[in-house]
């Protein structure tokens, strides 16, 4: 580190231009990218938060969010870790095309799923697949900044070859006595150095790996079926669900098409743009149908990226998870989780 590093300006919020300075394979289908600012900058974010890439793909403006897998305790670069998925337009585009020296625009950081906004003294991280990325950032931050952080980390993967960050987590666990690492390997393979269970995670396996799991604060991230199974398992075991926190960037929800017979029930007004929506459609669908800029990361009401303000009219929301009481009072809603109950005027 040199004097220039200490004098670097801080980036805490907004759009920034990043340049890829390094990329490497984590597994056969997972790639990590390290970024620095095109001008020297220190990155300030909360462990567990995400950034949103603003890309042009085949002439279309596309926004997609990825968790920051690096830690804010190491602020001179950002790392995102991306899994190749079948039909994954943006993920596969980045893996195939983003090279060292290329630059991108990102916005953020965003996300209420983090260790600053959620307080805890004893942690249980449960992840599956690429859902490990926020947990890795959180673990790195805790072990970098707090002596003796009490962490139980249970990760589920299809096979040993699908384990992301295995070597790095192994080093953390070896160096920090209060961190316990455990794996559930669906293929039935075993790891020599760390405890693991064959097949998917069960309550019996969790109880054996983390006997005091009922006393911890739980953070969960992974595919939607995994998260639903974990949530049900913990609820049925009598876990205090006020200490259950989850994050997921799922596939885009299916759009509710407007057919001629459906008609439109209400009008959504955004500046000088008007969209007709029926009762089954979300505000997000109306915004996207008109090609207006909005970030929609999880599309399920847990990330808060699609926050917007209702200036007039009546709406109904199925999620207000990331909104503060003051924002709700001021008329802010999550576009992905809100439907019109009357004609509405909206501000993005």
């Amino acid at each position: 580190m040199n004097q220039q590093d200490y004098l670097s300006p801080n980036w805490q919020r907004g759009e920034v231009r990043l340049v890829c300075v390094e990329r490497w394979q984590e597994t056969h289908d997972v790639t990590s990218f390290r970024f620095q600012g095109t001008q020297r900058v220190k990155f300030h974010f909360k462990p567990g938060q995400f950034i949103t890439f603003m890309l042009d793909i085949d002439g279309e403006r596309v926004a997609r969010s990825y968790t920051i897998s690096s830690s804010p305790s190491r602020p001179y670069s950002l790392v995102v870790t991306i899994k190749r998925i079948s039909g994954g337009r943006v993920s596969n585009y980045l893996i195939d095309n983003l090279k060292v020296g290329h630059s991108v625009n990102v916005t953020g950081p965003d996300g209420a799923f983090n260790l600053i906004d959620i307080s805890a003294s004893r942690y249980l991280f449960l992840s599956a697949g690429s859902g490990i990325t926020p947990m890795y950032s959180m673990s790195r931050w805790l072990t970098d900044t707090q002596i003796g952080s009490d962490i139980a980390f249970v990760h589920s993967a299809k096979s040993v070859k699908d384990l992301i960050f295995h070597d790095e987590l192994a080093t953390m666990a070896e160096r920090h006595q209060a961190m316990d690492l455990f794996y559930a390997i669906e293929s039935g393979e075993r790891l020599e150095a760390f405890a693991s269970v064959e097949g998917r995670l069960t309550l019996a396996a969790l109880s054996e790996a983390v006997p005091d799991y009922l006393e911890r604060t739980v953070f969960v991230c992974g595919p939607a079926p995994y998260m639903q199974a974990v949530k049900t398992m913990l609820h049925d075991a009598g876990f205090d669900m006020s200490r259950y926190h989850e994050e997921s960037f799922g596939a885009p929800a299916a759009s509710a098409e407007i057919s001629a017979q459906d008609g439109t029930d209400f009008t959504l007004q955004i500046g000088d743009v008007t969209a007709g929506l029926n009762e089954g459609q979300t505000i997000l669908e109306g915004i996207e149908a008109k090609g207006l800029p909005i970030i929609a990361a999880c599309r399920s009401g847990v990330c808060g990226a699609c926050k917007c303000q209702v200036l007039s009219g009546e709406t109904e929301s199925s999620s207000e998870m990331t909104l503060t009481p003051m924002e709700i009072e001021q008329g802010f809603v999550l576009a992905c989780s809100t439907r019109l109950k009357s004609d509405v005027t909206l501000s993005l």
Side-chain angles (χ1 to χ4, degrees):
M1 186 179 297
N2 55 37
Q3 185 182 36
Q4 189 178 16
D5 290 319
Y6 285 108
L7 299 177
S8 298
N10 294 332
W11 174 77
Q12 292 180 294
R13 187 78 185 130
E15 188 165 338
V16 65
R17 187 78 173 170
L18 302 180
V19 61
C20 179
V21 296
E22 189 179 5
R23 59 171 287 168
W24 62 91
Q25 289 298 122
E26 298 285 358
T27 70
H28 62 100
D29 61 354
V30 176
T31 305
S32 283
F33 300 86
R34 184 182 303 278
F35 297 94
Q36 292 181 330
T38 53
Q39 296 183 343
R40 206 67 139 152
V41 64
K42 286 197 298 186
F43 299 99
H44 285 249
F45 59 94
K46 301 171 184 178
Q49 287 192 307
F50 59 87
I51 53 176
T52 300
F53 286 72
M54 312 300 291
L55 304 168
D56 288 305
I57 301 178
D58 298 328
E60 181 183 350
R61 182 76 161 169
V62 180
R64 193 69 83 247
S65 298
Y66 295 97
T67 302
I68 303 168
S69 54
S70 53
S71 167
S73 54
R74 305 181 181 198
Y76 293 96
S77 65
L78 289 178
V79 178
V80 297
T81 301
I82 300 174
K83 179 181 175 63
R84 182 182 294 278
I85 55 176
S86 177
R89 182 184 183 191
V90 179
S91 297
N92 297 347
Y93 172 84
L94 289 171
I95 290 173
D96 291 336
N97 295 282
L98 183 60
K99 309 299 183 185
V100 172
H102 290 181
S103 57
V104 292
N105 284 342
V106 307
T107 64
D110 292 292
F113 184 78
N114 64 76
L115 294 190
I116 305 303
D117 296 327
I118 302 170
S119 61
S121 58
R122 304 171 70 192
Y123 305 87
L124 173 54
F125 297 149
L126 300 175
S127 61
S130 58
I132 196 173
T133 53
M135 312 309 191
Y136 180 69
S137 175
M138 293 173 176
S139 297
R140 174 67 73 189
W141 182 75
L142 287 170
T143 55
D144 276 352
T145 62
Q146 300 181 25
I147 302 300
S149 293
D150 190 342
I151 306 166
F153 196 135
V154 182
H155 180 63
S156 298
K158 291 182 179 179
S159 68
V160 169
K161 73 174 185 177
D162 294 298
L163 292 176
I164 307 170
F165 308 133
H166 171 57
D167 291 343
E168 294 87 347
L169 286 170
T171 299
M172 279 190 222
E174 289 168 0
R175 291 179 178 174
H176 301 275
Q177 293 184 352
M179 179 177 178
D180 292 320
L181 184 61
F182 186 85
Y183 289 103
I185 311 295
E186 192 172 334
S187 66
E189 298 169 273
R190 288 280 186 173
L191 292 171
E192 291 184 7
F194 293 93
S196 62
V197 63
E198 297 179 11
R200 297 182 178 181
L201 183 66
T202 63
L203 184 61
L206 178 62
S207 301
E208 181 178 349
V210 190
D212 61 350
Y213 73 93
L214 289 172
E215 302 167 18
R216 295 176 176 268
T217 298
V218 173
F219 296 80
V220 183
C221 189
Y226 165 83
M227 295 207 332
Q228 185 56 54
V230 168
K231 189 173 186 178
T232 300
M233 179 179 73
L234 290 174
H235 177 272
D236 292 348
F239 185 79
D240 177 2
M241 299 306 285
S242 68
R243 290 187 282 108
Y244 174 94
H245 307 278
E246 65 179 34
E247 177 76 295
S248 175
F249 299 119
S255 202
E257 298 291 338
I258 302 176
S259 64
Q261 60 266 33
D262 287 335
T264 57
D265 298 308
F266 305 116
T267 298
L268 178 65
Q269 187 76 37
I270 307 169
D272 58 359
V273 176
T274 301
L277 296 179
N278 62 39
E279 284 190 294
Q281 291 184 291
T282 64
I283 287 177
L284 176 60
E285 291 174 278
I287 294 171
E288 291 183 330
K290 292 298 181 178
L292 296 174
I294 188 169
I295 298 169
C298 69
R299 308 183 80 94
S300 58
V302 299
C303 74
C306 64
K307 177 175 64 178
C308 50
Q309 188 177 24
V310 175
L311 302 178
S312 66
E314 183 182 355
T315 62
E316 181 178 65
S317 297
S318 59
S319 175
E320 296 176 332
M321 189 178 303
T322 58
L323 299 175
T324 67
M326 180 176 293
E327 287 174 332
I328 294 171
E329 185 178 344
Q330 293 172 344
F332 283 93
V333 299
L334 301 176
C336 71
S337 307
T338 302
R339 291 172 170 78
L340 305 188
K341 302 300 287 184
S342 73
D343 294 341
V344 165
T345 301
L346 191 75
S347 174
L348 296 180

